[in-house]
């Protein structure tokens, strides 16, 4: 008897700045939860700096070098060269020996290191780096069980042993430091660059670990962002031990000729990508790269022949595993395929093992490429149901060995694998996350925090190029305003950036005409423009962040065939589509533009009936714009092109797009129409709770199918006479797969600025009867089988034709057998129409406020202060007016406007520094007793002298030399002039009136 066996020597993922395993909760909720966990002593917040580069993973020469979802290309060749050069910088003449030992160590222990590869030769990010380097962000060890990811202290110890570059790290283990960190970010988010950000975090952190590479020296001042994540509460102790036991390697470069640099090699080899790859691998040396088979194949087998046929995956899943890791990987792949998660399992021949290949012994590399971030959330839900399931990672590569053995050897391996499984299960039980007191969701809490000076360059300038050159300055303005609104950018910054970006649009269009500037070298033009703009004023310098000293890249830029991105084997990432404009305060449809009302729904959601009701409503939506409807079932050919043509004829009309709009492709077309015809768009969606992976519940699906099966003579032939009605509904239902209800609604809000919900089901309804639920679940399973095998082929023509016919028949029997329930759970149609009309009219009039999508609205913190209640301040001044001097002054002075914003400044970012402002974060929104001791006034300003009380036993003190609340300034006099009042009193130029006894009024500590 012959058995099939598989061995997996390694797996890897990216961690830290690029990890996507955390739950996709809202940023603000995450921040609050993280601070709570630190406050209760459950965890520590670890913050690392995000270098702006590409993911690079390395598992030794034989283990392989990988980019995001690819290998054997220019990205991995550059990574191997730069990593090899790091060894030469650190070890000098000892570098070849250390490279060999390092490769052997990684392969022997099945270790993979993940790095941020920062270089100027692979295209522009936020700032063209001054040097080419890597920073280690994660270390993974497979061993014989689950992948183990080194903690940050372990990672630093590992890197210092091998003299590899490490990242900046800050630890926050107290409530005060944790709150101060987030406050410091909020103070710097719109103008932060590397130097002030690192300085501020050094001041507020409990432990600071500087990076091996000074960001300002190797990359520059433009900083992409920070990554904050929850780690063990013992991390601070572990970090202190590592810093004591593993001192940094020598900081000075070893005196050794490093040879030509990456940029010099790329500049000298400009013919094609292969020439550059070969030159880089030749120069890195044989101790780092003994042979180049991953890039060029082996012997007569060229790299173009590396793709394995699809049968490899089937063999893998059918084979008997020889070890625990293989078994868990099989389990993972089976589940992903059964659940139809959008992911690819690509198999390639392993050229490193080409000499060992025989018909009974085959070697492959498998790339698990997850296409959608929603997969990680859905997979984690599966992990909660199955605690033994292996985690899913982004950046997942596996070496597979498929071989045959005789019956005796099979029995021996089976026995060994079961004993190994038993020992691993017991070990994993004792090493669960619960030992750290963290639930799975909390253990993965992470938040990415980016800076506006970086987003200006990448999102607003680089990513906006296609919009600017394709659709013009007006569409570009719509694009960048929507981006800033989504980020919660402060109004002042929006005004400043709008002025600059409008000027940029005119400048670059005038210079390039209709020929689009390349996004990979956009900094050739953007950097000089930003430098000149920054020189005009100090305010412009702050806005830009840093500009100048441009590194010219034309002569050494890597040659990338086919315009690939860093994933190597993928199509270039699509640019972010611009979205329709929406005012910042409330979502109102201007009367001088058109309106498109569309329906992201499913057949049977009553959109056509609703359109008829809207058309017949006296007065329409309450304005004078013409109202017309285009029914999809009556239009032949390309429906959305027809809508676009009609919109161009009547740009100010209200168009009812009576056709289901189920996916992002359609939504982008609607956005294009909004831009080209000066219109806004309002999505109308049936209200439903949804499921974990679909915005519509099974109850809603049942009602939709039930309605369709009651139709007669439907113009689209989707009615009770249709033999495949159930299949068609399932097809539409699955078009929405991958988004839960919250994600579905949030995306529509963000794209179109508003959302109208059409009531569908009664909230107090009974549960869906089991027969109805079962028939729908059976149909869903059958649909997935059919789709996997036949794609969009009609069900009557596929291999499941009989099964479909039986299911369609039983579907009708079950639904009509439960007709009373399905009728009873629906809200009356006239009620639904009334609610939709109310919402549409409110949007048109500007009275419908878009629900808060919980975007970050912290803005750019400038100062911390205690806000005071104006009514009580007025009452205090009325009492002081009994004094004759105060009475004359107060009667002659109009203080009403000043008192609306009266406060006691605690610290100001410009005067006292970011850390000083951030230190008040722990007391944010808490009540502070304020004792008023005197009134000071002159002919130019007036203020109340104060003494601040305590919060939770901690005294609140102001960084100002004289704590006070300014209550009035004369026209043209800045509020800071109130600081001079004590000096003016001593000079006899102002008056001081003591408040005896002092009066205490509570205020609230806030950031401004």
């Amino acid at each position: 008897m012959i058995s099939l066996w598989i061995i997996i020597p390694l797996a890897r993922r990216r961690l830290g700045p690029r990890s996507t395993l955390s739950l996709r909760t809202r940023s603000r909720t995450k921040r609050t939860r993280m601070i709570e966990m630190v406050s209760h002593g459950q965890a520590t917040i670890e913050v690392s700096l995000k270098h702006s580069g590409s993911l690079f993973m390395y598992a030794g020469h034989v283990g392989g070098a990988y980019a995001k979802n690819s290998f054997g290309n220019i990205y991995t060749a550059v990574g191997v060269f730069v990593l090899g050069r790091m060894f030469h910088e650190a070890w000098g003449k000892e570098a070849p020996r250390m490279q060999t030992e390092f490769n052997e160590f990684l392969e022997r222990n099945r270790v993979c290191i993940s790095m941020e590869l920062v270089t100027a030769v692979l295209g522009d990010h936020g700032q063209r780096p001054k040097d080419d380097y890597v920073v280690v962000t994660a270390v993974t060890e497979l061993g014989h069980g689950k992948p183990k990811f080194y903690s940050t202290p372990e990672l630093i110890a590992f890197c210092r042993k091998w003299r590899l570059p490490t990242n900046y790290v800050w630890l926050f283990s107290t409530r005060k430091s944790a709150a101060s960190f987030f406050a410091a970010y909020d103070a710097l988010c719109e103008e932060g660059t590397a130097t002030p950000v690192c300085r501020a975090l050094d001041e507020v952190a409990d432990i600071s670990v500087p990076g091996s590479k000074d960001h300002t020296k190797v990359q520059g001042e433009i900083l992409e962002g920070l990554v904050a994540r929850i780690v063990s509460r013992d991390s601070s102790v572990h970090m202190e031990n590592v810093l004591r036991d593993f001192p940094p390697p020598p900081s000075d470069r070893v005196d050794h000729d490093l040879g030509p640099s990456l940029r010099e090699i790329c500049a000298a080899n400009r013919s094609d990508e292969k020439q550059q790859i070969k030159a880089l691998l030749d120069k890195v040396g044989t101790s780092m790269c003994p042979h180049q088979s991953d890039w060029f194949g082996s012997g007569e087998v060229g790299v173009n022949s590396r793709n394995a046929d699809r049968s490899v995956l089937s063999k893998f899943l059918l084979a008997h595993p020889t070890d625990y890791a293989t078994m868990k990987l099989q389990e993972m792949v089976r589940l992903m395929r059964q659940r139809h998660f959008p992911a690819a399992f690509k198999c390639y021949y392993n050229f490193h093992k080409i000499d060992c290949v025989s018909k009974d012994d085959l070697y492959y590399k498998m790339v698990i490429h997850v296409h959608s971030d929603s997969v990680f959330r859905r997979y984690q839900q599966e992990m909660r149901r199955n605690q033994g399931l292996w985690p899913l990672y982004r950046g997942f590569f596996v070496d597979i060995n498929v071989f045959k053995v005789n019956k005796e050897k099979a029995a021996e391996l089976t026995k060994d694998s079961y004993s190994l499984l038993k020992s691993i299960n017991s070990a994993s039980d004792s090493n669960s996350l619960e030992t750290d007191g963290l639930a799975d969701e909390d253990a993965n809490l992470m938040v990415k925090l980016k800076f506006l000076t970086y987003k200006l360059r990448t999102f607003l300038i680089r990513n906006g190029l296609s919009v600017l050159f394709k659709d013009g300055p007006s569409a570009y303005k719509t694009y960048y305003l929507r981006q800033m609104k989504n980020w919660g950018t402060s109004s002042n910054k929006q005004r400043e950036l709008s002025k600059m970006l409008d000027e940029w649009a005119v400048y670059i269009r005038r210079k390039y005409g209709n020929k689009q500037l390349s996004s990979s070298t956009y900094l050739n033009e953007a950097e000089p423009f930003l430098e000149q703009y920054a020189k005009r004023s100090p305010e412009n310098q702050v806005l830009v962040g840093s500009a100048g000293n441009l590194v010219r890249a034309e002569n050494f830029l890597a040659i990338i065939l086919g315009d690939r991105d860093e994933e190597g084997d993928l199509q270039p990432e699509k640019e972010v589509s611009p979205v329709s404009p929406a005012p910042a305060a409330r979502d109102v449809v201007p009367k001088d533009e058109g309106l498109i009302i569309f329906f992201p729904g499913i057949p049977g959601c009553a959109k056509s009936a609703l359109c008829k009701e809207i058309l017949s409503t006296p007065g329409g939506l309450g304005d004078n714009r013409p109202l017309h409807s285009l029914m999809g079932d009556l239009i032949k050919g390309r429906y959305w092109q027809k809508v676009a043509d009609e919109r161009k004829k009547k740009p100010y009309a209200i168009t009812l797009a009576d056709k289901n709009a189920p996916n992002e492709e359609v939504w982008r077309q609607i956005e294009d129409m909004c831009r080209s015809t000066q219109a806004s768009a309002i999505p109308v969606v049936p209200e439903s709770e949804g499921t974990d992976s679909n915005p519509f519940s099974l109850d809603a699906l049942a009602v939709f199918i039930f309605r369709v099966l009651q139709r007669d003579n439907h113009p689209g032939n989707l009615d009770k006479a249709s033999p495949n009605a159930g299949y068609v509904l399932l097809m539409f239902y699955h078009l929405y797969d991958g988004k839960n209800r919250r994600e579905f609604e949030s995306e529509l809000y963000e794209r179109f600025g508003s959302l109208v919900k059409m009531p569908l089901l009664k909230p107090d309804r009974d549960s869906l009867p089991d027969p109805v639920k079962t028939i729908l679940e059976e149909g869903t399973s059958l649909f997935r089988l059919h789709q996997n095998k036949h794609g969009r082929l009609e069900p009557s023509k596929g291999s499941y034709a009989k099964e479909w016919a039986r299911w369609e028949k039983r579907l009708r029997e079950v639904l009509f057998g439960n007709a009373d329930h399905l009728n009873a759970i629906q809200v009356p149609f006239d009620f639904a129409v009334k609610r939709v009309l109310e919402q549409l009219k409110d949007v048109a009039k500007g009275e419908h406020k878009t629900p808060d999508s919980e975007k970050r609205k912290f803005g750019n913190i400038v100062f911390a202060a205690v806000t005071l209640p104006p009514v009580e301040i007025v009452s205090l001044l009325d009492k002081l007016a009994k004094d004759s001097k105060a009475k004359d002054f107060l009667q002659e002075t109009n203080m009403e406007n000043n008192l609306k914003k009266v406060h006691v400044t605690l610290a100001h970012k410009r005067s006292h520094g970011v850390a000083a402002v951030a230190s008040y974060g722990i007391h944010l929104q808490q009540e502070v007793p304020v004792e008023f001791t005197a009134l000071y006034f002159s002919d130019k300003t007036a203020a109340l002298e104060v003494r601040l009380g305590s919060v939770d036993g901690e005294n609140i003190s102001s960084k100002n030399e004289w704590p006070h609340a300014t209550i009035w300034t004369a026209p043209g006099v800045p509020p800071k002039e109130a600081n001079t009042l004590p000096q003016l009193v001593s000079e006899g130029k102002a008056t001081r009136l003591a408040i005896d006894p002092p009066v205490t009024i509570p205020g609230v500590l806030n950031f401004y």
Side-chain angles (χ1 to χ4, degrees), residues 795-808:
S796 60
K797 297 180 180 179
S799 56
Y800 301 102
K802 292 182 180 179
E803 288 84 348
W804 276 118
R806 286 195 294 267
W807 180 80
E808 292 278 0

Side-chain angles (χ1 to χ4, degrees), residues 58 60-62 64-65 76-77 80-81 84 88 96 99-100 103 107 277-278 280-296 352:
Y58 188 72
H61 168 62
V62 176
T76 54
V80 169
F81 178 86
H88 281 282
Q99 288 172 341
T100 300
N103 279 327
E107 290 156 14
I277 291 174
K278 183 163 180 54
L280 290 170
L281 299 179
D282 287 344
K283 290 295 182 182
V284 80
T286 55
S287 58
M288 191 70 187
C289 186
H291 57 90
Q292 304 167 8
S293 58
D294 273 352
W295 291 270
F296 300 109
H352 285 287

Side-chain angles (χ1 to χ4, degrees), residues 6-20:
I6 300 175
I7 298 174
I8 303 175
L10 61 98
R12 55 191 69 82
R13 89 165 187 185
R14 62 188 187 188
L15 192 66
R18 291 184 175 268
S19 173
T20 55

Side-chain angles (χ1 to χ4, degrees), residues 183-191 490 492-493 542 858-865 903 905-918 920 1006-1008:
Y185 168 74
D186 291 336
L188 290 165
C189 63
E190 292 189 349
E191 55 194 45
S490 65
N492 285 339
K493 285 294 179 186
V542 173
F858 307 111
N860 184 26
I861 293 175
V862 177
F863 64 93
H903 61 268
T905 299
L906 300 175
H908 196 286
K909 185 166 62 175
R910 300 278 180 260
S911 304
H912 308 106
V914 171
V917 175
Y920 295 98
N1006 278 309
F1007 287 136
Y1008 294 89

Side-chain angles (χ1 to χ4, degrees), residues 517-585:
L517 174 65
S518 170
S519 61
S520 62
T521 57
Y522 81 99
L523 286 174
N524 284 346
E525 297 295 344
E527 195 73 17
F529 171 84
L530 294 172
E531 181 180 11
Q532 292 301 315
Y533 194 87
K535 288 179 179 178
R536 298 181 193 172
S537 69
E539 292 78 15
N540 286 3
Q541 178 65 55
V542 173
L543 182 70
V544 168
S546 176
N549 301 316
L550 176 67
V551 177
R552 305 302 300 188
E554 296 90 337
N555 294 328
F556 58 71
L557 199 67
I559 299 170
I560 303 171
L561 297 178
D563 196 28
R564 295 194 308 268
D565 68 356
E566 68 176 270
E567 304 203 4
D569 58 346
L570 303 180
Q571 295 298 318
E573 291 183 3
K574 295 180 179 178
E575 299 288 352
V576 179
S577 298
V579 288
S580 55

